[in-house]
Amino acid sequence: MKLSEMNFEEKKEEKPKDIKVEYDALKDLSQDELMKKLADQIAFQKSNGTFDYDGLVDTINKMKGYISPQSYDNIINLLQKFK
């Protein structure tokens, strides 16, 4: 399916999902499936103007002292791919 064919319509009446429900929906997905979901979500956010790259980088920089240098580098590299 092409990105242009995907339905990214936001459902405003939906309440935020419970974290456990979200975790259960994602826990058995492969890395490729998770990356596709992430790319789809970022595309949706970019299309409606809610993707905040600088805010994400700022948040990751605040977490830098709590995560390993390798994890930090991986997250920053991943974010740069979607910039």
Side-chain angles (χ1 to χ4, degrees), residues 48-62:
N48 72 10
T50 60
F51 182 69
D52 183 9
Y53 174 82
D54 294 329
L56 289 170
V57 170
D58 185 48
T59 299
I60 298 306
N61 284 331
K62 289 177 183 175

Side-chain angles (χ1 to χ4, degrees), residues 9-61:
E9 203 169 297
E10 189 173 26
K11 296 179 181 177
K12 295 183 189 222
E13 69 277 357
E14 248 183 55
K15 293 182 180 178
K17 290 184 179 178
D18 179 66
I19 292 174
K20 179 164 179 17
V21 171
E22 193 69 28
Y23 169 78
D24 288 340
L26 300 174
K27 70 180 179 183
D28 294 324
L29 297 180
S30 70
Q31 182 174 354
D32 289 339
E33 291 169 319
L34 289 169
M35 288 299 292
K36 176 160 181 8
K37 283 192 156 296
L38 177 61
D40 291 347
Q41 182 61 35
I42 289 171
F44 171 72
Q45 289 179 3
K46 283 183 175 183
S47 73
N48 72 10
T50 60
F51 182 69
D52 183 9
Y53 174 82
D54 294 329
L56 289 170
V57 170
D58 185 48
T59 299
I60 298 306
N61 284 331

Side-chain angles (χ1 to χ4, degrees), residues 65-80:
Y66 301 99
I67 58 178
S68 71
Q70 182 181 5
S71 293
Y72 172 81
D73 290 340
N74 289 341
I75 294 168
I76 293 296
N77 289 334
L78 178 64
L79 283 175
Q80 288 176 347

